[in-house]
Amino acid sequence: MARLCPEKSNIYLFWTKTFFNMSRKVLSLVDFYIDFHYSRPNMINEERISKLTSAVYKVTDLFAEKEPLKFTIRRVCLDVLSLYVSCSETSAPEAKKNYARKGEIQSKIVIKYLSLAEYQDWIDPKNFHILKEEYSLVSQWFSETFSKAKESMDNKKEFHKKKRLEELTLSQEKAPRKEEYTPEKSIISKPFIDDNPPIKVEPLFKDLGIGQ
């Protein structure tokens, strides 16, 4: 029986069960799409990413049995799930920032790999559209989490910087001030100069008849 998307019934019409079209096996992800994309468009949580990972497994299960891209996509999807859990559980801003940055990159890599598979006609275009939109939302969540964690770290650094500056200013105000030493100008001794002219004694000697 066909399932219609309640809000987009005139656009999306999928089958809930696996069916064959032109001798090619096609898997529909309509249930997943209805449950999350329209009912909770912006809410990213562990349940959503877990079901998204399961959807990727179902889609890639249609790849050739030994196709390397099949296992590569699954591995990266598991990395995204693991990074989400780690990022959600930690409260340390630096660790959260690192997990978020890696998660954003891995989410974009998933989209690139799925795009390659869709180009090879290994994924139905409708399913690719669903997975691309979902992992774009996951990537956006990681990006926003990264920005918040970075902002928290910057605010913390600025707070500690101001606190250290205040403590330094307070310690300088409390410290006893040292008297400034001004060296006295050295006194240069001048040679003695007698301002009184010498007394001439010669006329006195002559009057007394001395020295004649």
PDB file of all heavy atoms in Angstrom, residues 128-163:
ATOM      1  N   PHE A 128      18.616   9.292  -2.240  1.00  0.00           N
ATOM      2  CA  PHE A 128      19.784  10.173  -2.129  1.00  0.00           C
ATOM      3  C   PHE A 128      19.375  11.558  -1.637  1.00  0.00           C
ATOM      4  O   PHE A 128      20.044  12.158  -0.787  1.00  0.00           O
ATOM      5  CB  PHE A 128      20.488  10.285  -3.484  1.00  0.00           C
ATOM      6  CG  PHE A 128      21.551  11.338  -3.508  1.00  0.00           C
ATOM      7  CD1 PHE A 128      22.748  11.159  -2.821  1.00  0.00           C
ATOM      8  CD2 PHE A 128      21.351  12.527  -4.199  1.00  0.00           C
ATOM      9  CE1 PHE A 128      23.733  12.147  -2.825  1.00  0.00           C
ATOM     10  CE2 PHE A 128      22.326  13.505  -4.217  1.00  0.00           C
ATOM     11  CZ  PHE A 128      23.516  13.321  -3.522  1.00  0.00           C
ATOM     12  N   HIS A 129      18.270  12.061  -2.141  1.00  0.00           N
ATOM     13  CA  HIS A 129      17.771  13.380  -1.725  1.00  0.00           C
ATOM     14  C   HIS A 129      17.474  13.396  -0.224  1.00  0.00           C
ATOM     15  O   HIS A 129      17.822  14.350   0.486  1.00  0.00           O
ATOM     16  CB  HIS A 129      16.510  13.721  -2.526  1.00  0.00           C
ATOM     17  CG  HIS A 129      15.836  14.978  -2.077  1.00  0.00           C
ATOM     18  ND1 HIS A 129      16.318  16.230  -2.371  1.00  0.00           N
ATOM     19  CD2 HIS A 129      14.707  15.165  -1.329  1.00  0.00           C
ATOM     20  CE1 HIS A 129      15.524  17.144  -1.832  1.00  0.00           C
ATOM     21  NE2 HIS A 129      14.543  16.526  -1.204  1.00  0.00           N
ATOM     22  N   ILE A 130      16.842  12.332   0.259  1.00  0.00           N
ATOM     23  CA  ILE A 130      16.510  12.239   1.684  1.00  0.00           C
ATOM     24  C   ILE A 130      17.780  12.206   2.529  1.00  0.00           C
ATOM     25  O   ILE A 130      17.925  12.962   3.502  1.00  0.00           O
ATOM     26  CB  ILE A 130      15.647  10.988   1.956  1.00  0.00           C
ATOM     27  CG1 ILE A 130      14.280  11.127   1.293  1.00  0.00           C
ATOM     28  CG2 ILE A 130      15.488  10.754   3.465  1.00  0.00           C
ATOM     29  CD1 ILE A 130      13.436   9.868   1.342  1.00  0.00           C
ATOM     30  N   LEU A 131      18.705  11.330   2.162  1.00  0.00           N
ATOM     31  CA  LEU A 131      19.934  11.187   2.951  1.00  0.00           C
ATOM     32  C   LEU A 131      20.776  12.454   2.912  1.00  0.00           C
ATOM     33  O   LEU A 131      21.372  12.851   3.917  1.00  0.00           O
ATOM     34  CB  LEU A 131      20.751   9.997   2.426  1.00  0.00           C
ATOM     35  CG  LEU A 131      20.096   8.621   2.603  1.00  0.00           C
ATOM     36  CD1 LEU A 131      20.946   7.552   1.923  1.00  0.00           C
ATOM     37  CD2 LEU A 131      19.907   8.291   4.082  1.00  0.00           C
ATOM     38  N   LYS A 132      20.816  13.096   1.761  1.00  0.00           N
ATOM     39  CA  LYS A 132      21.588  14.333   1.640  1.00  0.00           C
ATOM     40  C   LYS A 132      21.025  15.415   2.556  1.00  0.00           C
ATOM     41  O   LYS A 132      21.780  16.117   3.257  1.00  0.00           O
ATOM     42  CB  LYS A 132      21.575  14.815   0.192  1.00  0.00           C
ATOM     43  CG  LYS A 132      22.368  16.101  -0.022  1.00  0.00           C
ATOM     44  CD  LYS A 132      22.308  16.541  -1.482  1.00  0.00           C
ATOM     45  CE  LYS A 132      23.068  17.847  -1.666  1.00  0.00           C
ATOM     46  NZ  LYS A 132      23.011  18.312  -3.085  1.00  0.00           N
ATOM     47  N   GLU A 133      19.710  15.574   2.570  1.00  0.00           N
ATOM     48  CA  GLU A 133      19.098  16.589   3.425  1.00  0.00           C
ATOM     49  C   GLU A 133      19.319  16.280   4.903  1.00  0.00           C
ATOM     50  O   GLU A 133      19.587  17.176   5.709  1.00  0.00           O
ATOM     51  CB  GLU A 133      17.598  16.694   3.122  1.00  0.00           C
ATOM     52  CG  GLU A 133      17.288  17.386   1.804  1.00  0.00           C
ATOM     53  CD  GLU A 133      15.857  17.885   1.743  1.00  0.00           C
ATOM     54  OE1 GLU A 133      15.121  17.729   2.748  1.00  0.00           O
ATOM     55  OE2 GLU A 133      15.470  18.428   0.699  1.00  0.00           O
ATOM     56  N   GLU A 134      19.218  15.010   5.248  1.00  0.00           N
ATOM     57  CA  GLU A 134      19.392  14.635   6.649  1.00  0.00           C
ATOM     58  C   GLU A 134      20.826  14.875   7.121  1.00  0.00           C
ATOM     59  O   GLU A 134      21.046  15.445   8.191  1.00  0.00           O
ATOM     60  CB  GLU A 134      19.014  13.156   6.837  1.00  0.00           C
ATOM     61  CG  GLU A 134      17.523  12.888   6.761  1.00  0.00           C
ATOM     62  CD  GLU A 134      16.755  13.604   7.856  1.00  0.00           C
ATOM     63  OE1 GLU A 134      17.187  13.550   9.025  1.00  0.00           O
ATOM     64  OE2 GLU A 134      15.723  14.223   7.543  1.00  0.00           O
ATOM     65  N   TYR A 135      21.793  14.459   6.330  1.00  0.00           N
ATOM     66  CA  TYR A 135      23.183  14.660   6.744  1.00  0.00           C
ATOM     67  C   TYR A 135      23.595  16.135   6.658  1.00  0.00           C
ATOM     68  O   TYR A 135      24.522  16.560   7.355  1.00  0.00           O
ATOM     69  CB  TYR A 135      24.126  13.779   5.932  1.00  0.00           C
ATOM     70  CG  TYR A 135      24.261  12.405   6.534  1.00  0.00           C
ATOM     71  CD1 TYR A 135      23.623  11.308   5.970  1.00  0.00           C
ATOM     72  CD2 TYR A 135      25.003  12.201   7.696  1.00  0.00           C
ATOM     73  CE1 TYR A 135      23.724  10.047   6.538  1.00  0.00           C
ATOM     74  CE2 TYR A 135      25.115  10.946   8.270  1.00  0.00           C
ATOM     75  CZ  TYR A 135      24.474   9.875   7.690  1.00  0.00           C
ATOM     76  OH  TYR A 135      24.565   8.624   8.269  1.00  0.00           O
ATOM     77  N   SER A 136      22.907  16.900   5.846  1.00  0.00           N
ATOM     78  CA  SER A 136      23.140  18.346   5.835  1.00  0.00           C
ATOM     79  C   SER A 136      22.690  18.966   7.149  1.00  0.00           C
ATOM     80  O   SER A 136      23.356  19.856   7.698  1.00  0.00           O
ATOM     81  CB  SER A 136      22.402  18.998   4.661  1.00  0.00           C
ATOM     82  OG  SER A 136      22.918  18.550   3.422  1.00  0.00           O
ATOM     83  N   LEU A 137      21.571  18.487   7.677  1.00  0.00           N
ATOM     84  CA  LEU A 137      21.096  18.960   8.980  1.00  0.00           C
ATOM     85  C   LEU A 137      22.048  18.547  10.100  1.00  0.00           C
ATOM     86  O   LEU A 137      22.316  19.321  11.018  1.00  0.00           O
ATOM     87  CB  LEU A 137      19.693  18.395   9.263  1.00  0.00           C
ATOM     88  CG  LEU A 137      18.542  18.960   8.424  1.00  0.00           C
ATOM     89  CD1 LEU A 137      17.250  18.207   8.735  1.00  0.00           C
ATOM     90  CD2 LEU A 137      18.365  20.442   8.694  1.00  0.00           C
ATOM     91  N   VAL A 138      22.564  17.324  10.003  1.00  0.00           N
ATOM     92  CA  VAL A 138      23.526  16.849  11.003  1.00  0.00           C
ATOM     93  C   VAL A 138      24.795  17.698  10.961  1.00  0.00           C
ATOM     94  O   VAL A 138      25.331  18.104  11.995  1.00  0.00           O
ATOM     95  CB  VAL A 138      23.866  15.360  10.781  1.00  0.00           C
ATOM     96  CG1 VAL A 138      24.974  14.915  11.721  1.00  0.00           C
ATOM     97  CG2 VAL A 138      22.625  14.500  10.972  1.00  0.00           C
ATOM     98  N   SER A 139      25.268  17.974   9.740  1.00  0.00           N
ATOM     99  CA  SER A 139      26.456  18.814   9.581  1.00  0.00           C
ATOM    100  C   SER A 139      26.222  20.210  10.152  1.00  0.00           C
ATOM    101  O   SER A 139      27.109  20.794  10.796  1.00  0.00           O
ATOM    102  CB  SER A 139      26.823  18.912   8.094  1.00  0.00           C
ATOM    103  OG  SER A 139      27.928  19.768   7.907  1.00  0.00           O
ATOM    104  N   GLN A 140      25.031  20.740   9.940  1.00  0.00           N
ATOM    105  CA  GLN A 140      24.696  22.059  10.480  1.00  0.00           C
ATOM    106  C   GLN A 140      24.687  22.041  12.007  1.00  0.00           C
ATOM    107  O   GLN A 140      25.150  22.987  12.655  1.00  0.00           O
ATOM    108  CB  GLN A 140      23.333  22.502   9.949  1.00  0.00           C
ATOM    109  CG  GLN A 140      22.903  23.883  10.428  1.00  0.00           C
ATOM    110  CD  GLN A 140      21.531  24.269   9.878  1.00  0.00           C
ATOM    111  OE1 GLN A 140      20.980  23.603   8.998  1.00  0.00           O
ATOM    112  NE2 GLN A 140      20.986  25.350  10.403  1.00  0.00           N
ATOM    113  N   TRP A 141      24.167  20.949  12.590  1.00  0.00           N
ATOM    114  CA  TRP A 141      24.164  20.827  14.053  1.00  0.00           C
ATOM    115  C   TRP A 141      25.592  20.834  14.599  1.00  0.00           C
ATOM    116  O   TRP A 141      25.891  21.519  15.585  1.00  0.00           O
ATOM    117  CB  TRP A 141      23.457  19.540  14.474  1.00  0.00           C
ATOM    118  CG  TRP A 141      23.374  19.368  15.953  1.00  0.00           C
ATOM    119  CD1 TRP A 141      22.388  19.801  16.784  1.00  0.00           C
ATOM    120  CD2 TRP A 141      24.348  18.725  16.797  1.00  0.00           C
ATOM    121  NE1 TRP A 141      22.665  19.474  18.087  1.00  0.00           N
ATOM    122  CE2 TRP A 141      23.857  18.813  18.137  1.00  0.00           C
ATOM    123  CE3 TRP A 141      25.556  18.081  16.571  1.00  0.00           C
ATOM    124  CZ2 TRP A 141      24.558  18.284  19.216  1.00  0.00           C
ATOM    125  CZ3 TRP A 141      26.261  17.563  17.653  1.00  0.00           C
ATOM    126  CH2 TRP A 141      25.759  17.664  18.952  1.00  0.00           C
ATOM    127  N   PHE A 142      26.469  20.083  13.958  1.00  0.00           N
ATOM    128  CA  PHE A 142      27.870  20.060  14.394  1.00  0.00           C
ATOM    129  C   PHE A 142      28.505  21.451  14.254  1.00  0.00           C
ATOM    130  O   PHE A 142      29.272  21.880  15.118  1.00  0.00           O
ATOM    131  CB  PHE A 142      28.665  19.042  13.571  1.00  0.00           C
ATOM    132  CG  PHE A 142      28.534  17.629  14.047  1.00  0.00           C
ATOM    133  CD1 PHE A 142      28.022  16.642  13.216  1.00  0.00           C
ATOM    134  CD2 PHE A 142      28.942  17.267  15.322  1.00  0.00           C
ATOM    135  CE1 PHE A 142      27.913  15.325  13.650  1.00  0.00           C
ATOM    136  CE2 PHE A 142      28.838  15.962  15.768  1.00  0.00           C
ATOM    137  CZ  PHE A 142      28.321  14.983  14.930  1.00  0.00           C
ATOM    138  N   SER A 143      28.193  22.139  13.165  1.00  0.00           N
ATOM    139  CA  SER A 143      28.753  23.467  12.934  1.00  0.00           C
ATOM    140  C   SER A 143      28.312  24.449  14.024  1.00  0.00           C
ATOM    141  O   SER A 143      29.119  25.225  14.553  1.00  0.00           O
ATOM    142  CB  SER A 143      28.328  23.979  11.559  1.00  0.00           C
ATOM    143  OG  SER A 143      28.805  25.284  11.341  1.00  0.00           O
ATOM    144  N   GLU A 144      27.028  24.422  14.364  1.00  0.00           N
ATOM    145  CA  GLU A 144      26.516  25.311  15.413  1.00  0.00           C
ATOM    146  C   GLU A 144      27.096  24.960  16.777  1.00  0.00           C
ATOM    147  O   GLU A 144      27.424  25.847  17.575  1.00  0.00           O
ATOM    148  CB  GLU A 144      24.986  25.231  15.451  1.00  0.00           C
ATOM    149  CG  GLU A 144      24.326  25.805  14.209  1.00  0.00           C
ATOM    150  CD  GLU A 144      22.828  25.573  14.192  1.00  0.00           C
ATOM    151  OE1 GLU A 144      22.322  24.874  15.112  1.00  0.00           O
ATOM    152  OE2 GLU A 144      22.150  26.088  13.271  1.00  0.00           O
ATOM    153  N   THR A 145      27.254  23.669  17.042  1.00  0.00           N
ATOM    154  CA  THR A 145      27.841  23.240  18.309  1.00  0.00           C
ATOM    155  C   THR A 145      29.296  23.683  18.401  1.00  0.00           C
ATOM    156  O   THR A 145      29.769  24.110  19.464  1.00  0.00           O
ATOM    157  CB  THR A 145      27.757  21.703  18.440  1.00  0.00           C
ATOM    158  OG1 THR A 145      26.382  21.297  18.321  1.00  0.00           O
ATOM    159  CG2 THR A 145      28.293  21.249  19.783  1.00  0.00           C
ATOM    160  N   PHE A 146      30.012  23.586  17.289  1.00  0.00           N
ATOM    161  CA  PHE A 146      31.398  24.050  17.251  1.00  0.00           C
ATOM    162  C   PHE A 146      31.493  25.538  17.569  1.00  0.00           C
ATOM    163  O   PHE A 146      32.336  25.967  18.369  1.00  0.00           O
ATOM    164  CB  PHE A 146      31.994  23.770  15.868  1.00  0.00           C
ATOM    165  CG  PHE A 146      33.367  24.353  15.666  1.00  0.00           C
ATOM    166  CD1 PHE A 146      34.500  23.657  16.075  1.00  0.00           C
ATOM    167  CD2 PHE A 146      33.533  25.594  15.068  1.00  0.00           C
ATOM    168  CE1 PHE A 146      35.769  24.190  15.897  1.00  0.00           C
ATOM    169  CE2 PHE A 146      34.796  26.134  14.889  1.00  0.00           C
ATOM    170  CZ  PHE A 146      35.917  25.430  15.303  1.00  0.00           C
ATOM    171  N   SER A 147      30.617  26.335  16.969  1.00  0.00           N
ATOM    172  CA  SER A 147      30.635  27.787  17.193  1.00  0.00           C
ATOM    173  C   SER A 147      30.336  28.131  18.647  1.00  0.00           C
ATOM    174  O   SER A 147      30.982  29.009  19.239  1.00  0.00           O
ATOM    175  CB  SER A 147      29.618  28.470  16.271  1.00  0.00           C
ATOM    176  OG  SER A 147      29.937  28.253  14.914  1.00  0.00           O
ATOM    177  N   LYS A 148      29.365  27.430  19.237  1.00  0.00           N
ATOM    178  CA  LYS A 148      29.022  27.691  20.637  1.00  0.00           C
ATOM    179  C   LYS A 148      30.168  27.312  21.570  1.00  0.00           C
ATOM    180  O   LYS A 148      30.467  28.031  22.529  1.00  0.00           O
ATOM    181  CB  LYS A 148      27.759  26.915  21.018  1.00  0.00           C
ATOM    182  CG  LYS A 148      26.497  27.416  20.336  1.00  0.00           C
ATOM    183  CD  LYS A 148      25.298  26.564  20.705  1.00  0.00           C
ATOM    184  CE  LYS A 148      24.048  27.049  19.990  1.00  0.00           C
ATOM    185  NZ  LYS A 148      22.869  26.186  20.299  1.00  0.00           N
ATOM    186  N   ALA A 149      30.804  26.184  21.294  1.00  0.00           N
ATOM    187  CA  ALA A 149      31.922  25.746  22.135  1.00  0.00           C
ATOM    188  C   ALA A 149      33.097  26.709  22.018  1.00  0.00           C
ATOM    189  O   ALA A 149      33.749  27.042  23.022  1.00  0.00           O
ATOM    190  CB  ALA A 149      32.351  24.331  21.746  1.00  0.00           C
ATOM    191  N   LYS A 150      33.362  27.165  20.814  1.00  0.00           N
ATOM    192  CA  LYS A 150      34.457  28.117  20.601  1.00  0.00           C
ATOM    193  C   LYS A 150      34.167  29.434  21.304  1.00  0.00           C
ATOM    194  O   LYS A 150      35.058  30.044  21.926  1.00  0.00           O
ATOM    195  CB  LYS A 150      34.663  28.354  19.105  1.00  0.00           C
ATOM    196  CG  LYS A 150      35.868  29.225  18.780  1.00  0.00           C
ATOM    197  CD  LYS A 150      36.049  29.361  17.281  1.00  0.00           C
ATOM    198  CE  LYS A 150      37.290  30.172  16.954  1.00  0.00           C
ATOM    199  NZ  LYS A 150      37.216  31.538  17.510  1.00  0.00           N
ATOM    200  N   GLU A 151      32.929  29.891  21.221  1.00  0.00           N
ATOM    201  CA  GLU A 151      32.536  31.134  21.898  1.00  0.00           C
ATOM    202  C   GLU A 151      32.683  31.001  23.411  1.00  0.00           C
ATOM    203  O   GLU A 151      33.145  31.919  24.090  1.00  0.00           O
ATOM    204  CB  GLU A 151      31.095  31.481  21.536  1.00  0.00           C
ATOM    205  CG  GLU A 151      30.616  32.788  22.140  1.00  0.00           C
ATOM    206  CD  GLU A 151      29.181  33.112  21.772  1.00  0.00           C
ATOM    207  OE1 GLU A 151      28.568  32.325  21.027  1.00  0.00           O
ATOM    208  OE2 GLU A 151      28.677  34.153  22.227  1.00  0.00           O
ATOM    209  N   SER A 152      32.307  29.842  23.929  1.00  0.00           N
ATOM    210  CA  SER A 152      32.451  29.590  25.370  1.00  0.00           C
ATOM    211  C   SER A 152      33.916  29.624  25.792  1.00  0.00           C
ATOM    212  O   SER A 152      34.265  30.191  26.838  1.00  0.00           O
ATOM    213  CB  SER A 152      31.831  28.236  25.721  1.00  0.00           C
ATOM    214  OG  SER A 152      32.037  27.925  27.079  1.00  0.00           O
ATOM    215  N   MET A 153      34.777  29.030  24.976  1.00  0.00           N
ATOM    216  CA  MET A 153      36.211  29.032  25.279  1.00  0.00           C
ATOM    217  C   MET A 153      36.791  30.444  25.214  1.00  0.00           C
ATOM    218  O   MET A 153      37.587  30.845  26.074  1.00  0.00           O
ATOM    219  CB  MET A 153      36.948  28.119  24.302  1.00  0.00           C
ATOM    220  CG  MET A 153      36.671  26.645  24.496  1.00  0.00           C
ATOM    221  SD  MET A 153      37.558  25.639  23.295  1.00  0.00           S
ATOM    222  CE  MET A 153      39.257  25.996  23.740  1.00  0.00           C
ATOM    223  N   ASP A 154      36.386  31.209  24.202  1.00  0.00           N
ATOM    224  CA  ASP A 154      36.881  32.582  24.072  1.00  0.00           C
ATOM    225  C   ASP A 154      36.435  33.443  25.249  1.00  0.00           C
ATOM    226  O   ASP A 154      37.220  34.258  25.764  1.00  0.00           O
ATOM    227  CB  ASP A 154      36.386  33.195  22.759  1.00  0.00           C
ATOM    228  CG  ASP A 154      37.011  32.531  21.537  1.00  0.00           C
ATOM    229  OD1 ASP A 154      38.049  31.856  21.706  1.00  0.00           O
ATOM    230  OD2 ASP A 154      36.453  32.667  20.432  1.00  0.00           O
ATOM    231  N   ASN A 155      35.179  33.279  25.673  1.00  0.00           N
ATOM    232  CA  ASN A 155      34.674  34.042  26.819  1.00  0.00           C
ATOM    233  C   ASN A 155      35.418  33.674  28.096  1.00  0.00           C
ATOM    234  O   ASN A 155      35.709  34.544  28.933  1.00  0.00           O
ATOM    235  CB  ASN A 155      33.178  33.795  26.999  1.00  0.00           C
ATOM    236  CG  ASN A 155      32.353  34.385  25.876  1.00  0.00           C
ATOM    237  OD1 ASN A 155      32.802  35.294  25.168  1.00  0.00           O
ATOM    238  ND2 ASN A 155      31.153  33.879  25.687  1.00  0.00           N
ATOM    239  N   LYS A 156      35.725  32.388  28.232  1.00  0.00           N
ATOM    240  CA  LYS A 156      36.454  31.930  29.417  1.00  0.00           C
ATOM    241  C   LYS A 156      37.869  32.504  29.439  1.00  0.00           C
ATOM    242  O   LYS A 156      38.361  32.948  30.490  1.00  0.00           O
ATOM    243  CB  LYS A 156      36.501  30.397  29.427  1.00  0.00           C
ATOM    244  CG  LYS A 156      37.035  29.809  30.719  1.00  0.00           C
ATOM    245  CD  LYS A 156      36.936  28.294  30.688  1.00  0.00           C
ATOM    246  CE  LYS A 156      37.456  27.692  31.994  1.00  0.00           C
ATOM    247  NZ  LYS A 156      37.362  26.211  31.985  1.00  0.00           N
ATOM    248  N   LYS A 157      38.523  32.518  28.294  1.00  0.00           N
ATOM    249  CA  LYS A 157      39.872  33.085  28.214  1.00  0.00           C
ATOM    250  C   LYS A 157      39.849  34.583  28.529  1.00  0.00           C
ATOM    251  O   LYS A 157      40.719  35.098  29.236  1.00  0.00           O
ATOM    252  CB  LYS A 157      40.454  32.852  26.820  1.00  0.00           C
ATOM    253  CG  LYS A 157      40.852  31.412  26.546  1.00  0.00           C
ATOM    254  CD  LYS A 157      41.416  31.274  25.138  1.00  0.00           C
ATOM    255  CE  LYS A 157      41.801  29.832  24.847  1.00  0.00           C
ATOM    256  NZ  LYS A 157      42.332  29.677  23.454  1.00  0.00           N
ATOM    257  N   GLU A 158      38.847  35.279  27.992  1.00  0.00           N
ATOM    258  CA  GLU A 158      38.739  36.716  28.232  1.00  0.00           C
ATOM    259  C   GLU A 158      38.479  37.004  29.711  1.00  0.00           C
ATOM    260  O   GLU A 158      39.030  37.962  30.275  1.00  0.00           O
ATOM    261  CB  GLU A 158      37.601  37.286  27.372  1.00  0.00           C
ATOM    262  CG  GLU A 158      37.489  38.788  27.397  1.00  0.00           C
ATOM    263  CD  GLU A 158      38.677  39.492  26.781  1.00  0.00           C
ATOM    264  OE1 GLU A 158      39.367  38.865  25.950  1.00  0.00           O
ATOM    265  OE2 GLU A 158      38.919  40.668  27.129  1.00  0.00           O
ATOM    266  N   PHE A 159      37.671  36.153  30.345  1.00  0.00           N
ATOM    267  CA  PHE A 159      37.378  36.327  31.769  1.00  0.00           C
ATOM    268  C   PHE A 159      38.643  36.173  32.605  1.00  0.00           C
ATOM    269  O   PHE A 159      38.927  36.989  33.494  1.00  0.00           O
ATOM    270  CB  PHE A 159      36.318  35.308  32.201  1.00  0.00           C
ATOM    271  CG  PHE A 159      36.105  35.262  33.699  1.00  0.00           C
ATOM    272  CD1 PHE A 159      35.348  36.232  34.327  1.00  0.00           C
ATOM    273  CD2 PHE A 159      36.671  34.241  34.455  1.00  0.00           C
ATOM    274  CE1 PHE A 159      35.156  36.198  35.697  1.00  0.00           C
ATOM    275  CE2 PHE A 159      36.484  34.203  35.825  1.00  0.00           C
ATOM    276  CZ  PHE A 159      35.721  35.180  36.453  1.00  0.00           C
ATOM    277  N   HIS A 160      39.414  35.123  32.339  1.00  0.00           N
ATOM    278  CA  HIS A 160      40.643  34.890  33.100  1.00  0.00           C
ATOM    279  C   HIS A 160      41.684  35.985  32.820  1.00  0.00           C
ATOM    280  O   HIS A 160      42.443  36.359  33.724  1.00  0.00           O
ATOM    281  CB  HIS A 160      41.220  33.518  32.753  1.00  0.00           C
ATOM    282  CG  HIS A 160      40.454  32.376  33.350  1.00  0.00           C
ATOM    283  ND1 HIS A 160      40.338  32.175  34.698  1.00  0.00           N
ATOM    284  CD2 HIS A 160      39.739  31.368  32.766  1.00  0.00           C
ATOM    285  CE1 HIS A 160      39.617  31.106  34.942  1.00  0.00           C
ATOM    286  NE2 HIS A 160      39.223  30.597  33.780  1.00  0.00           N
ATOM    287  N   LYS A 161      41.687  36.486  31.600  1.00  0.00           N
ATOM    288  CA  LYS A 161      42.618  37.560  31.267  1.00  0.00           C
ATOM    289  C   LYS A 161      42.296  38.817  32.066  1.00  0.00           C
ATOM    290  O   LYS A 161      43.202  39.464  32.630  1.00  0.00           O
ATOM    291  CB  LYS A 161      42.538  37.850  29.767  1.00  0.00           C
ATOM    292  CG  LYS A 161      43.518  38.903  29.289  1.00  0.00           C
ATOM    293  CD  LYS A 161      43.391  39.108  27.787  1.00  0.00           C
ATOM    294  CE  LYS A 161      44.350  40.201  27.306  1.00  0.00           C
ATOM    295  NZ  LYS A 161      44.225  40.410  25.838  1.00  0.00           N
ATOM    296  N   LYS A 162      41.018  39.173  32.155  1.00  0.00           N
ATOM    297  CA  LYS A 162      40.611  40.341  32.927  1.00  0.00           C
ATOM    298  C   LYS A 162      40.874  40.140  34.414  1.00  0.00           C
ATOM    299  O   LYS A 162      41.296  41.069  35.119  1.00  0.00           O
ATOM    300  CB  LYS A 162      39.121  40.623  32.701  1.00  0.00           C
ATOM    301  CG  LYS A 162      38.800  41.168  31.323  1.00  0.00           C
ATOM    302  CD  LYS A 162      37.313  41.469  31.190  1.00  0.00           C
ATOM    303  CE  LYS A 162      36.995  42.057  29.827  1.00  0.00           C
ATOM    304  NZ  LYS A 162      35.544  42.351  29.680  1.00  0.00           N
ATOM    305  N   LYS A 163      40.646  38.913  34.878  1.00  0.00           N
ATOM    306  CA  LYS A 163      40.866  38.624  36.292  1.00  0.00           C
ATOM    307  C   LYS A 163      42.342  38.768  36.661  1.00  0.00           C
ATOM    308  O   LYS A 163      42.686  39.334  37.707  1.00  0.00           O
ATOM    309  CB  LYS A 163      40.379  37.212  36.613  1.00  0.00           C
ATOM    310  CG  LYS A 163      40.389  36.881  38.096  1.00  0.00           C
ATOM    311  CD  LYS A 163      39.793  35.513  38.349  1.00  0.00           C
ATOM    312  CE  LYS A 163      39.806  35.198  39.839  1.00  0.00           C
ATOM    313  NZ  LYS A 163      39.231  33.852  40.112  1.00  0.00           N
TER     314      LYS A 163
END
